[in-house]
Amino acid sequence: MLTADDRFAITELINSHGHLTDSGDLEGLLALFTEDVVYDVSALGGGVLVGPESIREATLSLGDANPVAHHVTNIVFTEAHDSRAHTMSKGLGIMTDGTLGSVTYEDTFERTTAGWRLTHRIIRPRRVPLRP
């Protein structure tokens, strides 16, 4: 079972992602991930990225097409063990033209020697109401 401290640490990682991304702190952002992180943005047209450096490169290549703001909410722990946890959360992205997009994050975290780190993320856009 996860402790309250574990849940807090994982929630802080999820929340930190948007702040680090929006401020352009890519080095800080990369510290949230394991070295072999799988970051699946294929539903957004970005493919499956493996490793922190590929996430960094993809973020830089998007340039001004990146959202100006990432907001996360509704964090739910769907499965938890001593060294692994799964969460779902909702994300909102605000684009430079003011449009808004909604996604669901499906995350897997592992306890490492450096603390909890994100090892797998699937980002699924929400484009149709009332559908799983």
Side-chain angles (χ1 to χ4, degrees):
M1 292 293 293
L2 296 180
T3 67
D5 287 342
D6 291 328
R7 289 175 179 269
F8 180 78
I10 292 167
T11 300
E12 284 295 295
L13 285 176
I14 295 169
N15 289 331
S16 295
H17 174 267
H19 289 288
L20 294 167
T21 302
D22 295 345
S23 69
D25 183 356
L26 299 183
E27 296 308 313
L29 177 68
L30 299 181
L32 304 177
F33 306 119
T34 59
E35 288 299 315
D36 59 349
V37 62
V38 175
Y39 202 85
D40 185 347
V41 288
S42 56
L44 297 170
V48 177
L49 309 172
V50 179
E53 188 56 30
S54 65
I55 296 169
R56 181 184 172 286
E57 289 172 9
T59 301
L60 290 174
S61 72
L62 278 175
D64 289 343
N66 280 294
V68 296
H70 294 77
H71 299 279
V72 67
T73 186
N74 299 31
I75 300 168
V76 177
F77 285 78
T78 58
E79 187 179 337
H81 306 282
D82 287 339
S83 61
R84 185 178 289 257
H86 299 274
T87 64
M88 281 188 6
S89 57
K90 302 296 289 180
L92 297 172
I94 302 170
M95 305 306 288
T96 56
D97 64 0
T99 58
L100 181 70
S102 177
V103 299
T104 299
Y105 295 118
E106 297 175 14
D107 294 334
T108 302
F109 294 88
E110 289 183 5
R111 186 192 310 269
T112 71
T113 56
W116 288 97
R117 295 294 182 265
L118 182 63
T119 186
H120 192 252
R121 171 171 271 184
I122 301 171
I123 302 174
R124 300 186 193 279
R126 298 291 301 169
R127 296 188 176 118
V128 179
L130 305 175
R131 299 236 169 85

